[in-house]
Amino acid sequence: MIAKMPPMPARVQSLRTWWRARNLVVRDGALAVLFALLAFAPGVARQGLVLAENVRRHDDPLSLVLLAAQCLPLVVRRSRPVWCLGIVAAAFSVHELLGYPATFASEGLVVALYSAGAHQGRFRRVTALAGTGAYVVLAVAVHVQGSPELPVELFTFYLFLSACWAAGTWMRARARQESERRRHAADAAIAQERARIARELHDVVTHHVTAMVVRADAAQFTVADAPEQAAADLASIGDTGRRTLTELRYFLGVLDPVPEAEQAPRVGRLLDLVEQTRSAGQPLELSEEGERQPMTDSAELAAYRVVQEALTNALKHARGHRTVVRIRHDAAEVGIEVSTDGPGVPAPRTTEGRGLTGLRQRVGVVGGELRAGGRPGGGFTVHARIPTGSGR
């Protein structure tokens, strides 16, 4: 049986990932060795930078040393860019002053200049000024030696070298801008996640603690006259506390994931939520229409939080008044309506970023809408429409 080779793009990507994981010295060392080999390759060995055009000597052992000094320092072009540029530029200058023929190794000067512009962190202006001064001295020296190059040609060569440095500087600025963009994006994502967790904690703590306070207040009045009812109230407080701890453990799992992290609340658990609110003394009715459809996690959590926040407001602002929860399921969306009776009971006020205001943002994120307001005869109603997001 012949094993199938992975697609070419996948293999190329895998190779790139492997290569980028190598040490800088290894990667830059490969480039330095390549330049050294090309300096002896037929057809390209004599293709390189030439300043003086004044060949007076043939290759000898010293020329080989200068050849190596113009390309091998590229091994530290990113880790030590100034040292790399200094050695390569000095070797190139001596090579030109002694009148050796052109060599491909001189192209290392281009790479060294680019690398210094892109990777040098400190004393950039000093390096640029020193390099300019050194070039002026070299240009005057080769002119005195009888180089046929005109001053304008020497100046053009300087502009070419400056362009190599400028290209590295441009890439450095671009990399810094990209780094800043990613940092700002990360900060915005962190702030958004913090706001989301704050809303979640508000929903959990407000609802469950409100129910516990209501049952605790009721237990105070029944402990003497109806000890059995007081015991039931205390047991309900314990159950509510355990539910609170369960949901808080879920959020701790979001902040610091562990394999045992609890699952987010589901629409299927609304019956538990209704029973918990009903046991706190709130007259409550629940009706569901249609067949439940698959929902995305975010949509299902949003639906659960809408009912939870509406029941919390009912306990706070309309305790003891009839509350009705209606849920309508269809293939595209879930409709939720929570209405609370009570003459003279106003619609609850919300704080920016919390409560019903936070729910509007949550529901809007999943493509739904939420409305809440007072009823003409008293009480208030919360309407929500949440797309299932299942694609069915």
Side-chain angles (χ1 to χ4, degrees), residues 5 58 105 119 134 165 181 188 193 299 316 326 338 352 370:
M5 297 294 290
H58 297 290
H119 303 292
W165 170 282
R181 185 192 67 79
E193 185 65 10
K316 281 184 176 180
R326 296 183 177 89
V338 181
E352 185 67 26
L370 182 140

Side-chain angles (χ1 to χ4, degrees), residues 20 25 36 45 121 144 156 160 170 176 248 287 296 315 337 359 379:
R20 289 178 177 177
V25 174
V144 171
T156 301
F160 168 74
W170 180 78
R176 293 183 63 178
L248 289 178
S287 66
T296 62
L315 283 173
E337 179 183 298
L359 283 181

Side-chain angles (χ1 to χ4, degrees), residues 284 310 314 321-326 337-341 375 379-383:
L284 188 59
H321 293 278
R322 178 174 172 266
T323 300
V324 179
V325 179
R326 296 183 177 89
E337 179 183 298
V338 181
S339 58
T340 302
D341 297 335
R375 302 172 61 184
F380 55 89
T381 302
V382 176
H383 296 272

Side-chain angles (χ1 to χ4, degrees), residues 78-93:
R78 280 185 280 191
S79 58
R80 296 290 187 272
V82 176
W83 285 97
C84 173
L85 177 60
I87 296 174
V88 172
F92 174 80
S93 300

Side-chain angles (χ1 to χ4, degrees), residues 245-264:
L245 290 176
T246 297
E247 296 203 31
L248 289 178
R249 279 198 298 270
Y250 162 72
F251 292 115
L252 290 177
V254 172
L255 296 173
D256 186 15
V258 293
E260 296 79 16
E262 299 289 342
Q263 295 296 318

